[in-house]
Amino acid sequence: MIHERLLNLNKMKQKEIIATATENFDQLTGWQLDLELNQHITGFDGNVILTNPIKKEKIKLLVQIKNELRATDIAKLITNKGLKNNCLVITQYMSKLQRELLKNNQINYLDSSGNCFIQYKQLFVFIDNQKVQEQRQTKSGKLFTEKGMRLIYALLLNNNLINATYRQISAEADIALGNIGNLLNELKAEDFIKIKDDKRSIQNKEILFDKWAAAYGSTLRPHLFQKRLRFVNRQDILNWKNINLNNAYWGGEPAAYLLDKFLSPQEFIIYSEKPTTQLMKELKLVPDIGGEIILMLPPLHSSKEKKMADPFIIYAELINSKDSRCLEAAQRIKKKYIDTKR
């Protein structure tokens, strides 16, 4: 089972990450870092003790240990107000962008190279100049590439599609027929598909969804992006809800507002298959590389007219944002509108 393999892998990786991060932190700061692992602290791996060997002062923080940080992990950290200041996240690798995002939101972190931000009571440590080793690429061949992402998205939207013919799956997922067999085999190899009585079903759906959402920004989204635009009439920013998109629909922040009424949009994603010039004429838009409008192709072709994207793609857009407002909205949408238990 995927849970058992992940558990064993996590235990091995934890030891490696702890040993490397501890050694580098001690050398760079002069402080001593000790870990007290405790599986009985819900949501944490235990505590970390930071000791100043000169002043003999000690600081105790909760600790989370992760091999890597996905967009979904960062969103949970930022939106969980209780984690700020009294928790340290230790991970093997963090990109510079991820480190900046955590620091700006007052989340303590330490990577295995020794880069860290720790601010708690009288202690302040910030190291950001240590060379990091890129995280390993996933072993899943094409599963989290554009074609695999389209298939996973189609299956998330329609769980019954898993038992359709390859031709039907191909048409629904907008990918070539020849890709279907290999991608389904990869899903099975990764324990996301089980077969019983000649029927396929999706399992470990929440893990699959989190991986899909985290990979969306770097795999599927670049193939959907068309152009940055802005409203000619600046009042349209305030009156966006009254705009008739006419066979196009809202995504991202405006879609999140329409769904949950929590997030006031600053950027406006519009999904459309119309020629760009036609859409610009209809909605009175002009090109602008810094504009508030982001024109995207729909992730899947659909003849049905709708006002906004589905919760899966709304969440994926928000979770890959650097804006804490969007990350919080993403968590609300996942909790209220996305069911990965069925």
Side-chain angles (χ1 to χ4, degrees):
M1 294 295 291
I2 191 170
H3 295 293
E4 294 173 353
R5 290 195 282 118
L6 285 174
L7 185 61
N8 292 332
L9 176 63
N10 286 342
K11 286 181 178 179
M12 291 187 292
K13 291 306 300 179
Q14 268 193 356
K15 292 180 180 179
E16 296 176 17
I17 294 167
I18 290 168
T20 308
T22 299
E23 180 181 359
N24 286 328
F25 180 81
D26 291 357
Q27 289 180 356
L28 290 168
T29 66
W31 282 64
Q32 181 179 333
L33 187 152
D34 296 296
L35 282 155
E36 297 175 347
L37 297 180
N38 186 344
Q39 296 179 349
H40 301 295
I41 304 177
T42 304
F44 300 93
D45 297 301
N47 297 105
V48 61
I49 311 296
L50 301 173
T51 305
N52 184 328
I54 299 175
K55 297 182 178 180
K56 304 300 182 184
E57 57 185 324
K58 293 180 181 287
I59 291 175
K60 187 174 185 178
L61 302 172
L62 293 165
V63 67
Q64 286 187 352
I65 304 167
K66 295 182 176 292
N67 179 32
E68 60 180 291
L69 283 180
R70 298 190 179 98
T72 48
D73 297 318
I74 289 180
K76 289 175 185 176
L77 289 169
I78 290 174
T79 56
N80 188 340
K81 304 293 194 296
L83 282 182
K84 296 189 177 182
N85 298 123
N86 65 340
C87 173
L88 176 66
V89 179
I90 301 179
T91 183
Q92 180 182 15
Y93 168 85
M94 263 187 281
S95 69
K96 188 172 182 63
L97 182 61
Q98 289 176 324
R99 299 198 303 269
E100 181 181 342
L101 191 55
L102 291 184
K103 178 177 177 289
N104 290 344
N105 284 276
Q106 303 296 300
I107 304 293
N108 297 319
Y109 66 80
L110 168 65
D111 70 21
S112 59
S113 300
N115 294 302
C116 62
F117 169 79
I118 305 173
Q119 186 172 17
Y120 184 73
K121 296 183 178 179
Q122 74 275 19
L123 176 63
F124 178 82
V125 182
F126 178 51
I127 300 171
D128 197 48
N129 60 355
Q130 299 302 298
K131 186 177 180 180
V132 297
Q133 182 178 356
E134 294 287 341
Q135 65 196 85
R136 296 174 301 171
Q137 296 296 313
T138 176
K139 293 181 180 179
S140 302
K142 295 185 177 181
L143 198 51
F144 294 99
T145 62
E146 180 205 356
K147 293 179 176 62
M149 292 286 287
R150 289 183 187 274
L151 174 62
I152 293 169
Y153 178 46
L155 293 175
L156 289 170
L157 288 175
N158 179 8
N159 292 174
N160 295 325
L161 184 64
I162 194 70
N163 283 299
T165 66
Y166 280 17
R167 191 170 298 279
Q168 289 171 320
I169 296 173
S170 168
E172 192 87 7
D174 282 348
I175 58 176
L177 180 61
N179 292 303
I180 303 300
N182 289 335
L183 290 171
L184 290 180
N185 287 336
E186 282 196 45
L187 282 167
K188 185 175 182 296
E190 294 291 323
D191 285 337
F192 292 125
I193 289 179
K194 68 177 179 180
I195 301 176
K196 184 178 181 180
D197 299 328
D198 293 326
K199 290 286 186 180
R200 293 187 292 264
S201 62
I202 299 175
Q203 62 182 3
N204 301 310
K205 188 176 175 183
E206 185 165 14
I207 297 173
L208 178 62
F209 171 66
D210 283 344
K211 283 178 170 285
W212 175 84
Y216 167 82
S218 60
T219 54
L220 183 53
R221 193 181 194 277
H223 294 274
L224 306 180
F225 176 79
Q226 294 292 288
K227 203 175 188 67
R228 277 268 190 177
L229 307 160
R230 65 174 171 83
F231 290 114
V232 172
N233 182 355
R234 306 310 288 165
Q235 282 297 114
D236 285 344
I237 296 176
L238 299 176
N239 299 324
W240 67 271
K241 294 189 291 295
N242 300 320
I243 296 174
N244 181 7
L245 295 184
N246 189 19
N247 292 322
Y249 58 94
W250 298 111
E253 296 179 33
Y257 174 85
L258 293 173
L259 185 64
D260 191 45
K261 301 295 187 294
F262 171 76
L263 181 66
S264 296
Q266 305 296 315
E267 291 187 332
F268 299 80
I269 290 178
I270 297 176
Y271 293 105
S272 175
E273 293 184 272
K274 297 179 184 180
T276 302
T277 51
Q278 180 184 341
L279 189 77
M280 289 169 59
K281 184 178 180 180
E282 290 177 354
L283 301 182
K284 296 182 174 59
L285 308 173
V286 293
D288 186 338
I289 59 172
E292 65 275 355
I293 304 291
I294 303 171
L295 181 59
M296 308 268 282
L297 290 170
L300 294 178
H301 174 74
S302 176
S303 57
K304 296 179 180 178
E305 188 168 349
K306 51 188 174 182
K307 190 170 185 178
M308 63 181 178
D310 61 87
F312 291 107
I313 208 75
I314 296 172
Y315 175 85
E317 277 290 343
L318 297 177
I319 207 70
N320 283 277
S321 171
K322 295 184 288 184
D323 191 327
S324 59
R325 300 174 312 113
C326 293
L327 298 176
E328 186 171 358
Q331 295 301 331
R332 288 172 58 93
I333 287 171
K334 184 179 182 183
K335 184 177 181 180
K336 294 170 67 175
Y337 301 102
I338 296 175
D339 182 8
T340 55
K341 304 300 182 185
R342 291 187 292 108

